[in-house]
Amino acid sequence: MQYIINAPERVDCHIQLPASKSISNRALVMNALAGADTHPENLSKCDDTDVMVSALRDMPYEIDIKAAGTAMRFITALLSVGEGEHVITGTERMRHRPISVLVDALRQLGADIEYAGEEGFPPLRIRGKKLSGGKLEVPGNVSSQYISALLMIGPAMKEGLTLRLTGEIFSRPYIDLTVCLMREFGADAEWSDPSTIKVKPVKYSPEPFYIENDWSAASYWYEIVALLNKKSHDAADNQVIMSGLKDSSRQGDSAVRYIFSMLGVKTTFAEKNALKPTDVTLSAHHRALPRFDFDLVGQPDLAQTVVVTTALMGIPFRFGGLQTLRIKETDRIAALKTEMRKLGYVLDDSVEGELSWDGTRCEAMPEPVIDTYDDHRMAMAFAPAAIMFPGMRMNNPEVVTKSYPEFWDELRKAGFSITEA
């Protein structure tokens, strides 16, 4: 499938965000360990959460999590402390995404896991059993999903878990989110020092739980407002209202409001210091940066959104903390370089873990066609580029179902014209 995308001259809309995938998938694991009979409220309807719901409901011998990296990591840990034998597998891309860090850590805790294919990669054969737990060291610069997977099964181990993270800790906000949610489900988990988390062997409580909406999904609406503000003669005309977000959110990507405040987007909550989900309004405020340097180590999922936005606004940048982008749904750094060149922007990835742009331009394709690489965030980050490149085409736009199934419908509600080629 290919879409042709044209943007409106202005936006003034109230859109519905999806529920947080990050919170949904964590809550499902803790809900399962608590033995709850019902799901948390406002559960995400995206592909990644759907495969977890199906797996936890049916528990077949072979569990196919498709392209859901979060599900692969979380369910691998969950099966290790459960009952029975299972094989967990996924798409061709998933079978080439490394998982040895998590498998090695679980084996140190006594888990019975073997590779059913290539060493270091899914599929995995797991024979669940009660683990003793105890002390474990894991590098802090690995995917936070490995760390979260280990933490969430900590209460199910006889001795609990003392997890020490060595070296630099990437994506700390996602680890903090996991610890916070574990407490909400009745676990005794806390940072005992800046690099160590202690989890006591306490059974989770099956309490009612409401999932807030997704700040990662909100980032694409920030991008739309920022780019329309850049293009419009009267930026004050542009306004987007989004529902179901917390001012006090533990989601790491809630930092998007601070990042985009430097790109001319103002965030206003309907309720100050909202402890419960409320409406958020995005509007223009005038701020022009000559250059943007920022470390995204805590928010790597915002990288595509921020790179596309900043370049199209003509602001040179350097974004660091991107080491984990090479092993996401695709090599996101390589994909960004390739697709941004189609739009006339020459990005530099010569420094490991960084992506930068010094203002260098090349000739843009006359009718650019953006490839999405089976990566939902590539599709959603590039869709707003149609504001600057009318009639832009996109291949395989349906990949957004991984995290935001209603994305294209919401864009149409906002005034975008989206047609099949």
Side-chain angles (χ1 to χ4, degrees), residues 265-295:
V265 182
K266 180 181 179 181
T267 304
T268 306
F269 286 85
E271 298 177 28
K272 294 288 186 182
N273 300 315
L275 296 176
K276 294 182 178 181
T278 187
D279 283 355
V280 172
T281 300
L282 308 184
S283 55
H285 77 117
H286 297 289
R287 182 182 295 270
L289 291 176
R291 179 178 175 83
F292 196 9
D293 291 337
F294 196 84
D295 193 324

Side-chain angles (χ1 to χ4, degrees), residues 338-381:
T338 300
E339 301 311 306
M340 288 302 292
R341 182 173 279 273
K342 293 177 181 178
L343 303 182
Y345 299 85
V346 182
L347 307 187
D348 178 15
D349 66 340
S350 59
V351 177
E352 181 63 28
E354 293 186 3
L355 198 56
S356 61
W357 180 59
D358 62 5
T360 301
R361 296 294 302 273
C362 62
E363 186 175 353
M365 290 177 60
E367 295 182 356
V369 180
I370 300 299
D371 288 309
T372 53
Y373 303 82
D374 291 324
D375 186 346
H376 56 136
R377 300 205 187 281
M378 286 296 292
M380 293 185 287

Side-chain angles (χ1 to χ4, degrees), residues 168-204:
E168 184 180 2
I169 300 174
F170 290 178
S171 303
R172 188 184 284 266
Y174 284 96
I175 303 171
D176 288 337
L177 172 65
T178 301
V179 172
C180 179
L181 291 173
M182 288 172 66
R183 288 177 184 158
E184 292 197 46
F185 276 83
D188 187 339
E190 63 180 0
W191 289 91
S192 59
D193 63 48
S195 61
T196 306
I197 305 166
K198 289 189 175 181
V199 182
K200 293 184 179 179
V202 178
K203 187 175 176 61
Y204 286 112

Side-chain angles (χ1 to χ4, degrees), residues 20 59 73 101 131 143 167 170 180 254 279 344 373 378:
S20 168
M59 278 294 175
R73 282 100 183 232
V101 171
L131 301 183
S143 169
F170 290 178
C180 179
S254 64
D279 283 355
Y373 303 82
M378 286 296 292

Side-chain angles (χ1 to χ4, degrees), residues 259 262-263 289-296 302-320 322 325 333 336-337 340-341 344-349 351 353-361 382:
I259 293 170
M262 294 179 275
L263 297 172
L289 291 176
R291 179 178 175 83
F292 196 9
D293 291 337
F294 196 84
D295 193 324
L296 289 164
L302 295 181
Q304 288 133 300
T305 314
V306 179
V307 165
V308 176
T309 306
T310 312
L312 267 57
M313 291 181 71
I315 301 172
F317 61 78
R318 184 202 62 81
F319 297 124
L322 306 182
L325 261 61
I333 289 178
L336 277 168
K337 284 186 65 181
M340 288 302 292
R341 182 173 279 273
Y345 299 85
V346 182
L347 307 187
D348 178 15
D349 66 340
V351 177
E354 293 186 3
L355 198 56
S356 61
W357 180 59
D358 62 5
T360 301
R361 296 294 302 273
F382 275 88

Side-chain angles (χ1 to χ4, degrees), residues 100-175:
S100 59
V101 171
L102 179 59
V103 170
D104 290 348
L106 289 167
R107 283 173 169 174
Q108 287 182 56
L109 295 169
D112 185 351
I113 305 175
E114 64 183 57
Y115 295 107
E118 184 180 355
E119 190 80 8
F121 301 89
L124 306 173
R125 182 173 288 105
I126 304 170
R127 299 174 184 88
K129 60 181 181 178
K130 186 75 173 180
L131 301 183
S132 295
K135 296 182 179 180
L136 181 68
E137 284 193 356
V138 173
N141 62 357
V142 299
S143 169
S144 64
Q145 292 176 9
Y146 297 146
I147 296 165
S148 292
L150 293 165
L151 289 173
M152 286 190 291
I153 63 170
M157 300 183 198
K158 295 175 185 175
E159 300 173 22
L161 178 66
T162 299
L163 185 62
R164 182 172 179 270
L165 306 178
T166 60
E168 184 180 2
I169 300 174
F170 290 178
S171 303
R172 188 184 284 266
Y174 284 96
I175 303 171

Side-chain angles (χ1 to χ4, degrees), residues 250-261:
R250 291 281 187 168
Q251 293 181 57
D253 286 354
S254 64
V256 68
R257 54 183 158 156
Y258 305 116
I259 293 170
F260 272 84
S261 70

